[in-house]
Amino acid sequence: MGRFARAEEIAQGALFLASDESSFVTASTFLVDGGLSGAYTPQVVVDGERDVLGSDRAALLAAVAELAARPKGEVRLRLGQAPGTVAVEAAWPEVMTGDLFLALVEAEAVSNVARVLNEQVPNGVQ
């Protein structure tokens, strides 16, 4: 595609994963980058202030560790009033506008993969 994505295009990937259409998706990685990740080494801006070369893993991890150690605000999660819901409260010392995206990850989750994507399987075999 030869261009950087618009925020709406990135959001569509997240919306798909949060939708019923992705109900059969498990343990997959989705690159929502228009194919650019294989063509160049992106610049990463950590916490809106530190520029890091995306391929410099050590520098990236160091920047994330350093800047993540400085709290900027607070996010509280609690059980919602309706079954199966979560209430989110977010507070920052200064006024901020924009969207808040949360990704909850189960650190100990394991998926047993029976076969790899696009593996050739004889007709009739599931």
Side-chain angles (χ1 to χ4, degrees), residues 1-6 8-10 12 31-40:
M1 294 176 200
R3 63 177 176 78
F4 289 102
R6 295 184 314 274
E8 297 82 17
E9 292 171 313
I10 301 297
Q12 288 302 318
L31 291 177
V32 185
D33 67 357
L36 290 176
S37 62
Y40 77 109

Side-chain angles (χ1 to χ4, degrees), residues 33-101:
D33 67 357
L36 290 176
S37 62
Y40 77 109
T41 300
Q43 171 194 21
V44 178
V45 179
V46 180
D47 205 20
E49 65 180 72
R50 179 80 48 86
D51 293 328
V52 180
L53 190 61
S55 61
D56 189 344
R57 180 175 167 78
L60 181 57
L61 291 174
V64 168
E66 175 191 339
L67 296 169
R70 293 189 280 175
K72 285 126 195 110
E74 190 173 311
V75 176
R76 287 186 218 113
L77 303 177
R78 60 180 169 78
L79 293 177
Q81 292 183 358
T85 63
V86 175
V88 179
E89 297 173 8
W92 275 257
E94 68 272 356
V95 175
M96 297 178 71
T97 60
D99 297 319
L100 172 66
F101 293 94

Side-chain angles (χ1 to χ4, degrees), residues 6-31:
R6 295 184 314 274
E8 297 82 17
E9 292 171 313
I10 301 297
Q12 288 302 318
L15 289 173
F16 167 73
L17 292 173
S19 72
D20 291 339
E21 284 77 25
S22 70
S23 63
F24 205 65
V25 174
T26 58
S28 293
T29 300
F30 287 90
L31 291 177

